[in-house]
Short mmCIF file of all heavy atoms in Angstrom, two decimals:
data_model
loop_
_atom_site.label_atom_id
_atom_site.label_comp_id
_atom_site.label_asym_id
_atom_site.label_seq_id
_atom_site.Cartn_x
_atom_site.Cartn_y
_atom_site.Cartn_z
N PRO A 1 1.94 -34.69 12.88
CA PRO A 1 0.65 -34.57 13.58
C PRO A 1 0.09 -35.97 13.89
O PRO A 1 0.23 -36.92 13.12
CB PRO A 1 -0.18 -33.83 12.56
CG PRO A 1 0.41 -34.07 11.21
CD PRO A 1 1.93 -34.18 11.50
N HIS A 2 -0.65 -36.06 15.02
CA HIS A 2 -1.28 -37.32 15.36
C HIS A 2 -2.48 -37.55 14.50
O HIS A 2 -2.79 -38.73 14.15
CB HIS A 2 -1.79 -37.23 16.85
CG HIS A 2 -0.65 -36.94 17.85
ND1 HIS A 2 0.32 -37.89 18.17
CD2 HIS A 2 -0.34 -35.81 18.53
CE1 HIS A 2 1.16 -37.37 19.05
NE2 HIS A 2 0.73 -36.17 19.26
N ALA A 3 -3.16 -36.49 14.12
CA ALA A 3 -4.27 -36.50 13.19
C ALA A 3 -4.51 -35.02 12.82
O ALA A 3 -3.96 -34.14 13.35
CB ALA A 3 -5.50 -37.08 13.90
N LEU A 4 -5.36 -34.89 11.79
CA LEU A 4 -5.74 -33.55 11.33
C LEU A 4 -7.27 -33.39 11.32
O LEU A 4 -7.91 -34.34 10.98
CB LEU A 4 -5.13 -33.28 10.03
CG LEU A 4 -3.59 -33.16 9.90
CD1 LEU A 4 -3.15 -33.11 8.43
CD2 LEU A 4 -3.07 -31.98 10.66
N TRP A 5 -7.70 -32.19 11.60
CA TRP A 5 -9.11 -31.85 11.51
C TRP A 5 -9.38 -31.06 10.23
O TRP A 5 -8.74 -30.00 9.96
CB TRP A 5 -9.54 -31.05 12.72
CG TRP A 5 -9.27 -31.74 14.02
CD1 TRP A 5 -8.13 -31.77 14.73
CD2 TRP A 5 -10.22 -32.52 14.80
NE1 TRP A 5 -8.34 -32.49 15.86
CE2 TRP A 5 -9.58 -33.01 15.93
CE3 TRP A 5 -11.54 -32.90 14.61
CZ2 TRP A 5 -10.20 -33.87 16.88
CZ3 TRP A 5 -12.17 -33.69 15.52
CH2 TRP A 5 -11.46 -34.20 16.63
N LEU A 6 -10.19 -31.69 9.39
CA LEU A 6 -10.36 -31.17 8.02
C LEU A 6 -11.81 -30.73 7.73
O LEU A 6 -12.74 -31.48 7.99
CB LEU A 6 -9.86 -32.24 7.01
CG LEU A 6 -9.95 -31.84 5.51
CD1 LEU A 6 -8.82 -32.55 4.81
CD2 LEU A 6 -11.29 -32.37 4.88
N ARG A 7 -11.87 -29.60 7.06
CA ARG A 7 -13.22 -29.09 6.65
C ARG A 7 -13.08 -28.86 5.13
O ARG A 7 -12.32 -27.92 4.74
CB ARG A 7 -13.59 -27.85 7.41
CG ARG A 7 -15.01 -27.58 7.48
CD ARG A 7 -15.31 -26.45 8.49
NE ARG A 7 -16.77 -26.21 8.51
CZ ARG A 7 -17.29 -25.11 9.13
NH1 ARG A 7 -16.47 -24.31 9.75
NH2 ARG A 7 -18.61 -24.91 9.14
N GLY A 8 -13.78 -29.54 4.33
CA GLY A 8 -13.72 -29.36 2.85
C GLY A 8 -13.48 -30.71 2.20
O GLY A 8 -14.03 -31.78 2.68
N SER A 9 -12.77 -30.73 1.07
CA SER A 9 -12.52 -32.00 0.32
C SER A 9 -11.47 -32.82 1.03
O SER A 9 -10.37 -32.33 1.27
CB SER A 9 -11.99 -31.63 -1.06
OG SER A 9 -11.61 -32.77 -1.79
N PRO A 10 -11.83 -34.05 1.43
CA PRO A 10 -10.90 -34.91 2.13
C PRO A 10 -9.59 -35.24 1.37
O PRO A 10 -8.58 -35.44 2.04
CB PRO A 10 -11.64 -36.16 2.37
CG PRO A 10 -13.10 -35.84 2.25
CD PRO A 10 -13.13 -34.78 1.21
N ASN A 11 -9.69 -35.20 0.01
CA ASN A 11 -8.50 -35.58 -0.74
C ASN A 11 -7.64 -34.32 -1.14
O ASN A 11 -6.58 -34.46 -1.69
CB ASN A 11 -8.89 -36.28 -2.05
CG ASN A 11 -9.52 -37.67 -1.69
OD1 ASN A 11 -9.03 -38.36 -0.81
ND2 ASN A 11 -10.63 -37.98 -2.40
N ALA A 12 -8.14 -33.17 -0.82
CA ALA A 12 -7.33 -31.93 -1.17
C ALA A 12 -5.95 -31.88 -0.72
O ALA A 12 -5.03 -31.45 -1.55
CB ALA A 12 -8.19 -30.67 -0.74
N PRO A 13 -5.63 -32.23 0.51
CA PRO A 13 -4.25 -32.05 0.97
C PRO A 13 -3.22 -33.01 0.40
O PRO A 13 -2.04 -32.96 0.68
CB PRO A 13 -4.37 -32.17 2.49
CG PRO A 13 -5.54 -33.06 2.70
CD PRO A 13 -6.53 -32.70 1.61
N ALA A 14 -3.70 -34.11 -0.25
CA ALA A 14 -2.76 -35.16 -0.70
C ALA A 14 -2.12 -35.09 -2.00
O ALA A 14 -1.35 -35.91 -2.41
CB ALA A 14 -3.53 -36.52 -0.60
N GLY A 15 -2.46 -34.05 -2.77
CA GLY A 15 -1.98 -33.91 -4.07
C GLY A 15 -0.45 -33.70 -4.21
O GLY A 15 0.11 -33.00 -3.36
N GLU A 16 0.12 -34.39 -5.18
CA GLU A 16 1.57 -34.23 -5.39
C GLU A 16 1.95 -32.84 -5.86
O GLU A 16 2.98 -32.29 -5.59
CB GLU A 16 2.12 -35.26 -6.31
CG GLU A 16 2.03 -36.65 -5.77
CD GLU A 16 2.57 -37.68 -6.71
OE1 GLU A 16 3.08 -37.29 -7.80
OE2 GLU A 16 2.53 -38.92 -6.48
N ARG A 17 1.03 -32.31 -6.71
CA ARG A 17 1.32 -31.02 -7.36
C ARG A 17 0.75 -29.84 -6.49
O ARG A 17 -0.21 -29.21 -6.83
CB ARG A 17 0.76 -30.96 -8.76
CG ARG A 17 1.37 -31.99 -9.72
CD ARG A 17 0.90 -31.82 -11.06
NE ARG A 17 1.34 -30.61 -11.73
CZ ARG A 17 1.55 -30.47 -13.05
NH1 ARG A 17 1.48 -31.51 -13.80
NH2 ARG A 17 1.90 -29.38 -13.49
N ALA A 18 1.44 -29.75 -5.33
CA ALA A 18 0.98 -28.65 -4.41
C ALA A 18 2.28 -27.81 -4.15
O ALA A 18 3.33 -28.29 -4.03
CB ALA A 18 0.47 -29.24 -3.13
N ILE A 19 2.05 -26.50 -4.14
CA ILE A 19 3.20 -25.56 -3.85
C ILE A 19 2.71 -24.46 -2.85
O ILE A 19 1.59 -24.01 -2.89
CB ILE A 19 3.64 -24.90 -5.19
CG1 ILE A 19 4.95 -24.15 -4.99
CG2 ILE A 19 2.58 -24.01 -5.76
CD1 ILE A 19 5.69 -23.78 -6.28
N ALA A 20 3.54 -24.24 -1.85
CA ALA A 20 3.22 -23.26 -0.85
C ALA A 20 3.70 -21.86 -1.25
O ALA A 20 4.86 -21.72 -1.59
CB ALA A 20 3.89 -23.67 0.46
N LEU A 21 2.76 -20.84 -1.16
CA LEU A 21 3.10 -19.53 -1.38
C LEU A 21 2.88 -18.79 -0.08
O LEU A 21 1.73 -18.70 0.41
CB LEU A 21 2.25 -18.94 -2.52
CG LEU A 21 2.32 -19.62 -3.91
CD1 LEU A 21 1.50 -18.78 -4.89
CD2 LEU A 21 3.76 -19.73 -4.34
N VAL A 22 3.89 -18.28 0.51
CA VAL A 22 3.79 -17.65 1.82
C VAL A 22 4.50 -16.29 1.88
O VAL A 22 5.28 -16.02 0.95
CB VAL A 22 4.39 -18.58 2.94
CG1 VAL A 22 3.63 -19.86 3.04
CG2 VAL A 22 5.88 -18.82 2.67
N GLY A 23 4.16 -15.51 2.88
CA GLY A 23 4.80 -14.18 2.95
C GLY A 23 4.24 -13.36 4.00
O GLY A 23 3.53 -13.82 4.87
N ALA A 24 4.61 -12.09 3.97
CA ALA A 24 4.28 -11.17 5.09
C ALA A 24 2.72 -10.84 5.12
O ALA A 24 2.09 -10.86 4.07
CB ALA A 24 5.05 -9.88 4.88
N ARG A 25 2.28 -10.62 6.32
CA ARG A 25 0.88 -10.19 6.51
C ARG A 25 0.75 -8.73 6.03
O ARG A 25 -0.21 -8.38 5.41
CB ARG A 25 0.53 -10.21 8.04
CG ARG A 25 0.31 -11.71 8.45
CD ARG A 25 -0.05 -11.75 9.96
NE ARG A 25 -0.40 -13.09 10.40
CZ ARG A 25 0.40 -14.04 10.62
NH1 ARG A 25 1.71 -13.84 10.50
NH2 ARG A 25 -0.02 -15.17 11.02
N ALA A 26 1.73 -7.88 6.38
CA ALA A 26 1.70 -6.51 5.90
C ALA A 26 2.36 -6.42 4.53
O ALA A 26 3.46 -5.86 4.32
CB ALA A 26 2.45 -5.67 6.92
N ALA A 27 1.64 -7.04 3.57
CA ALA A 27 2.22 -7.06 2.18
C ALA A 27 2.08 -5.76 1.44
O ALA A 27 1.13 -4.96 1.73
CB ALA A 27 1.51 -8.16 1.44
N SER A 28 3.04 -5.44 0.62
CA SER A 28 2.93 -4.21 -0.22
C SER A 28 2.13 -4.54 -1.51
O SER A 28 1.80 -5.65 -1.76
CB SER A 28 4.33 -3.79 -0.58
OG SER A 28 4.96 -4.76 -1.46
N GLY A 29 1.82 -3.46 -2.20
CA GLY A 29 1.12 -3.65 -3.47
C GLY A 29 1.92 -4.49 -4.40
O GLY A 29 1.36 -5.33 -5.12
N TYR A 30 3.25 -4.31 -4.39
CA TYR A 30 4.19 -5.14 -5.26
C TYR A 30 4.05 -6.60 -4.83
O TYR A 30 3.93 -7.49 -5.73
CB TYR A 30 5.57 -4.69 -5.05
CG TYR A 30 6.65 -5.61 -5.54
CD1 TYR A 30 6.92 -5.76 -6.89
CD2 TYR A 30 7.31 -6.48 -4.64
CE1 TYR A 30 7.91 -6.64 -7.31
CE2 TYR A 30 8.27 -7.35 -5.12
CZ TYR A 30 8.61 -7.44 -6.41
OH TYR A 30 9.52 -8.29 -6.89
N GLY A 31 4.11 -6.96 -3.54
CA GLY A 31 4.04 -8.31 -3.12
C GLY A 31 2.70 -8.97 -3.43
O GLY A 31 2.70 -10.13 -3.95
N GLU A 32 1.65 -8.31 -3.32
CA GLU A 32 0.31 -8.81 -3.63
C GLU A 32 0.21 -9.10 -5.17
O GLU A 32 -0.37 -10.07 -5.60
CB GLU A 32 -0.77 -7.99 -3.07
CG GLU A 32 -0.90 -7.93 -1.54
CD GLU A 32 -2.23 -7.50 -1.06
OE1 GLU A 32 -3.08 -7.05 -1.91
OE2 GLU A 32 -2.46 -7.57 0.22
N HIS A 33 0.68 -8.12 -5.89
CA HIS A 33 0.61 -8.24 -7.45
C HIS A 33 1.37 -9.52 -7.85
O HIS A 33 0.89 -10.29 -8.60
CB HIS A 33 1.18 -6.99 -8.04
CG HIS A 33 1.35 -7.10 -9.51
ND1 HIS A 33 0.23 -7.09 -10.38
CD2 HIS A 33 2.42 -7.33 -10.33
CE1 HIS A 33 0.67 -7.26 -11.62
NE2 HIS A 33 1.95 -7.39 -11.66
N VAL A 34 2.58 -9.62 -7.35
CA VAL A 34 3.45 -10.78 -7.82
C VAL A 34 2.80 -12.08 -7.31
O VAL A 34 2.77 -13.03 -8.04
CB VAL A 34 4.83 -10.63 -7.20
CG1 VAL A 34 5.68 -11.91 -7.47
CG2 VAL A 34 5.57 -9.50 -7.83
N THR A 35 2.12 -12.09 -6.17
CA THR A 35 1.51 -13.27 -5.66
C THR A 35 0.30 -13.63 -6.48
O THR A 35 0.08 -14.82 -6.80
CB THR A 35 1.10 -13.08 -4.21
OG1 THR A 35 2.23 -12.77 -3.39
CG2 THR A 35 0.43 -14.31 -3.65
N LEU A 36 -0.48 -12.63 -6.84
CA LEU A 36 -1.67 -12.90 -7.66
C LEU A 36 -1.33 -13.51 -8.97
O LEU A 36 -1.87 -14.49 -9.54
CB LEU A 36 -2.53 -11.61 -7.86
CG LEU A 36 -3.13 -11.05 -6.66
CD1 LEU A 36 -3.68 -9.67 -6.90
CD2 LEU A 36 -4.26 -11.93 -6.15
N GLU A 37 -0.27 -12.93 -9.63
CA GLU A 37 0.17 -13.43 -10.90
C GLU A 37 0.76 -14.86 -10.81
O GLU A 37 0.43 -15.76 -11.63
CB GLU A 37 1.26 -12.47 -11.47
CG GLU A 37 0.74 -11.14 -11.91
CD GLU A 37 -0.11 -11.14 -13.11
OE1 GLU A 37 0.18 -12.04 -14.04
OE2 GLU A 37 -1.00 -10.33 -13.20
N ALA A 38 1.51 -15.10 -9.81
CA ALA A 38 2.16 -16.39 -9.62
C ALA A 38 1.10 -17.47 -9.26
O ALA A 38 1.13 -18.62 -9.92
CB ALA A 38 3.19 -16.37 -8.45
N ALA A 39 0.17 -17.21 -8.39
CA ALA A 39 -0.81 -18.17 -8.00
C ALA A 39 -1.66 -18.54 -9.21
O ALA A 39 -1.98 -19.73 -9.48
CB ALA A 39 -1.62 -17.74 -6.85
N ALA A 40 -2.07 -17.54 -9.95
CA ALA A 40 -2.91 -17.83 -11.17
C ALA A 40 -2.13 -18.67 -12.13
O ALA A 40 -2.75 -19.62 -12.75
CB ALA A 40 -3.36 -16.52 -11.76
N GLY A 41 -0.90 -18.33 -12.41
CA GLY A 41 -0.13 -19.11 -13.33
C GLY A 41 0.10 -20.58 -12.90
O GLY A 41 0.14 -21.45 -13.73
#
């Protein structure tokens, strides 16, 4: 990117300990449950 437009904490995107959790928009109950548990952990 040439630059980024940011709203919030300016330093938030630069952390080394960042992990992307992605998936389907039409998520099942199973998918959402696993995601909630994983993100919290």
